[in-house]
Amino acid sequence: MTVQGLRRLSLGALSGLLAGYAALAVAELVAAAVRPESGPVVAVGGAAIDRTPAAVKDWAIRQFGTHDKLVLQLGILAVLCGLALFLGVLATRWRRIGSLGVLAFGVVGALAATGRPDSVGVADALPSVAGGLVGTALLYLLIGRLGPAEPPAATGEEADRSGFDRRGFILAATAAAAASTGAGLAGRALTGSQGRGAVASRKDVLLPAPSSSAAPTPRGAALRIKGISPFVTPNRDFYRVDTALVVPKVDATTWKLRIHGRGVARERTLTFDDLLRMPLIERSITLTCVSNEVGGPYVGNARWIGVPLADLLRQCGVRPPSEGGPADQLVARSVDGMTLGTPVEDVLDGRDAMLAVGMNGEPLPFVHGFPVRMLVPGLYGYVSACKWIKEIELTTFDAYDTYWVKRDWAPRAPVKTQSRIDTPKPFARPAAGTVMVAGVAWAQHRGIDKVEVRVDDGPWQEARLAAEDTRDTWRQWSYEWKADPGTHTLAVRATDRTGRTQTGRRTPTIPDGASGRHSVVVTVD
Ligand SMILES: Nc1nc2c(c(=O)[nH]1)N[C@H]1C(S)=C(S)[C@@H](COP(=O)(O)O)O[C@H]1N2
Ligand SMILES: [Mo]
């Protein structure tokens, strides 16, 4: 290949990159005007999450933890870079086809955005289409500066006769890069300013004192042992699991919750202030994710303040199936289109199901569902803990499959009895002698009755249980191990108040939560 041919290809690739960059920047700006969630990267990422098989989603959560969304977006950007390079090179040969390729990807973004469960309609297609058009035009223009595809054969040491308009190209490329950066930054700034109303509304929230406080945590519920999970999980350490690539920023002053559906004699629409004027309860509740592997981190305990959901539903005339009510499923819908389905019977059976407005003494953090989320002790998060809730619909399990149920997770999912060794850590090297083994065990709404530890193939030994707060919270435990030198396996199992001991049979998280025992291998020196 000639030097000029090579130059043409690399400038083509560069043009492709610039066109892709411009397309994304313009899309970002338009998305800021429409909705941040309608931008192509977020939309394609969201669509990918919607379509990810349960097993892959679980794998991603396992591999990347709470960074799973960042990894996904970086992956999408990497793929887009590759495609942009390719389209640029393609355009050096077929200017129109290569340029129109950029638009084709805009269309993909548009389809992804309009197909999301939270889509507001065709407006969501605008960012990707606008970006695609700008990118197409830019690539076409830049390639034009490179001259015709097959230049008159230049001979010998004759000057560059390929028709390459160097000045024009550099000017156009620089201007495009600058304008794109400007558009992208403007988009970011606009999106940021839109969240400001929500941020201000959160700052203005004054949580009323609950009319029913949680009993003080009993002395002895929180053990002082290095490495054990604190009894109350601080908000900043509380796990986060959701499908939201952009954390919804909901303004509490305009937020509304609608309650309707089968057997709702009196439909209601409530504002945030309406909720704060009702009698509030304060309760400690341990929340667990169904995607938590045995020994995994997706469990946390917080002190929540909220409106008792059962009272609210009874006021609306809702009766549980056991009292002849026609609805057996409560579907909670969030502002981002997520749906979660909870048994009506569980919500109305006397447990502290609530619409939570406070978490550990402050308004809900945005990532945990500000302004209002649902909580039902004893059920995994995906069937009970709707964040950014905006609607409650009473229906039946036969009539409606929620988001995760459509993706093969179980429609009903009470939390399985589980226990975890927090310390020592896997592959730790404690010194021989007394080693403190400790952790947490949970069986929400049944309560933990016993925890046992086993060393290698020895007998199960009863661990010391910390005082119980309530049966809806986890319980710390500890065991003083007289450790001999060598490599040992520590295993733990819990027994709940129904007398059932957690099974040693390992099952995957899908469809209704992992079972099996947590064990840790350590080498005693
Ligand atoms: N709107 C919305 N609510 C949601 C989810 C979600 O993806 N979107 N995820 C659920 C799941 S799977 C769990 S385990 C809990 C996690 O709550 P946290 O992130 O506050 O710990 O929220 C639940 N509520
Ligand atoms: Mo979850």
Side-chain angles (χ1 to χ4, degrees):
M1 183 179 291
T2 65
V3 175
Q4 275 152 32
L6 207 61
R7 182 183 67 195
R8 187 179 170 79
L9 285 189
S10 28
L11 290 179
L14 175 65
S15 307
L17 268 188
L18 280 170
Y21 179 53
L24 284 182
V26 167
E28 179 102 15
L29 180 60
V30 178
V34 180
R35 278 176 350 118
E37 295 84 351
S38 62
V41 176
V42 171
V44 170
I49 292 174
D50 290 346
R51 283 164 190 76
T52 303
V56 178
K57 176 213 130 210
D58 248 35
W59 172 86
I61 289 184
R62 238 179 1 259
Q63 292 300 308
F64 309 118
T66 306
H67 300 301
D68 55 346
K69 298 182 186 73
L70 180 64
V71 171
L72 175 66
Q73 299 199 59
L74 289 177
I76 291 171
L77 283 178
V79 169
L80 285 180
C81 268
L83 287 167
L85 288 169
F86 168 76
L87 288 175
V89 170
L90 190 75
T92 59
R93 185 83 183 74
W94 295 284
R95 189 173 166 200
R96 282 211 190 112
I97 295 178
S99 305
L100 282 172
V102 181
L103 185 58
F105 283 98
V107 171
V108 171
L111 289 176
T114 50
R116 300 266 8 248
D118 60 338
S119 172
V120 296
V122 284
D124 285 331
L126 279 178
S128 295
V129 170
L133 285 172
V134 169
T136 296
L138 179 62
L139 185 55
Y140 190 78
L141 184 135
L142 287 174
I143 297 296
R145 303 295 97 149
L146 300 182
E150 267 148 275
T155 48
E157 56 276 12
E158 222 176 318
D160 185 352
R161 288 241 234 98
S162 62
F164 174 41
D165 171 10
R166 183 189 298 267
R167 246 180 78 83
F169 182 86
I170 293 176
L171 259 173
T174 315
S180 307
T181 304
L185 289 178
R188 279 283 150 88
L190 210 65
T191 307
S193 72
Q194 283 162 352
R196 242 175 263 154
V199 171
S201 77
R202 184 172 181 277
K203 284 217 180 77
D204 287 344
V205 172
L206 252 182
L207 290 178
S211 55
S212 160
S213 303
T217 306
R219 273 204 296 133
L223 303 177
R224 242 168 280 150
I225 294 174
K226 199 165 167 276
I228 200 171
S229 306
F231 178 71
V232 176
T233 315
N235 288 355
R236 65 173 180 284
D237 297 335
F238 208 97
Y239 80 92
R240 173 188 167 200
V241 170
D242 56 57
T243 58
L245 285 172
V246 176
V247 176
K249 290 271 169 68
V250 180
D251 189 329
T253 59
T254 53
W255 175 87
K256 282 194 173 61
L257 172 71
R258 175 167 175 238
I259 303 176
H260 67 111
R262 291 194 203 186
V264 180
R266 292 170 292 279
E267 261 193 50
R268 282 190 80 172
T269 300
L270 297 139
T271 65
F272 191 65
D273 279 339
D274 291 337
L275 284 190
L276 293 193
R277 274 195 290 269
M278 295 177 181
L280 301 178
I281 55 172
E282 174 197 41
R283 297 289 182 267
S284 286
I285 297 170
T286 298
L287 182 62
T288 313
C289 181
V290 71
S291 292
N292 195 43
E293 296 284 331
V294 171
Y298 302 125
V299 51
N301 181 47
R303 205 162 247 243
W304 311 88
I305 291 181
V307 169
L309 183 54
D311 292 357
L312 190 55
L313 291 178
R314 297 259 186 204
Q315 284 168 22
C316 297
V318 176
R319 283 168 299 132
S322 60
E323 292 171 27
D328 64 359
Q329 181 178 221
L330 179 160
V331 172
R333 204 166 268 116
S334 70
V335 299
D336 63 334
M338 171 57 65
T339 50
L340 294 84
T342 312
V344 174
E345 198 66 52
D346 291 348
V347 174
L348 294 177
D349 73 357
R351 71 184 79 194
D352 292 315
M354 66 161 93
L355 293 174
V357 294
M359 179 179 188
N360 289 331
E362 55 171 309
L364 294 178
F366 285 107
V367 289
H368 295 297
F370 182 83
V372 182
R373 79 176 303 169
M374 213 173 107
L375 288 171
V376 183
L379 307 181
Y380 284 118
Y382 83 107
V383 289
S384 65
C386 186
K387 305 193 272 191
W388 316 293
I389 192 171
K390 68 159 191 197
E391 184 188 334
I392 287 177
E393 179 177 359
L394 278 294
T395 176
T396 63
F397 281 100
D398 281 344
Y400 190 76
D401 283 342
T402 50
Y403 184 94
W404 292 112
V405 175
K406 287 192 188 104
R407 288 160 180 80
D408 298 333
W409 294 81
R412 295 168 190 264
V415 174
K416 293 183 178 175
T417 301
Q418 267 297 346
S419 48
R420 184 176 74 194
I421 301 172
D422 288 337
T423 182
K425 295 278 174 238
F427 310 115
R429 304 197 65 124
T434 302
V435 173
M436 193 55 96
V437 184
V440 283
W442 59 90
Q444 290 93 313
H445 211 57
R446 297 184 297 281
I448 289 290
D449 205 34
K450 184 162 74 174
V451 170
E452 295 161 289
V453 173
R454 187 175 67 183
V455 182
D456 301 321
D457 295 324
W460 285 103
Q461 312 263 0
E462 219 168 309
R464 183 166 71 95
L465 275 177
E468 178 175 74
D469 183 9
T470 74
R471 58 183 173 153
D472 293 336
T473 57
W474 62 12
R475 216 167 156 180
Q476 296 181 335
W477 57 267
S478 67
Y479 175 75
E480 282 184 23
W481 173 35
K482 305 282 175 282
D484 296 326
T487 296
H488 299 287
T489 303
L490 299 165
V492 64
R493 71 176 187 192
T495 301
D496 66 28
R497 279 280 157 66
T498 68
R500 232 175 294 147
T501 300
Q502 124 187 28
T503 171
R505 198 166 48 86
R506 283 231 169 205
T507 60
T509 54
I510 307 158
D512 62 355
S515 71
R517 294 185 200 117
H518 188 212
S519 62
V520 163
V521 176
V522 299
T523 300
V524 178
D525 288 321

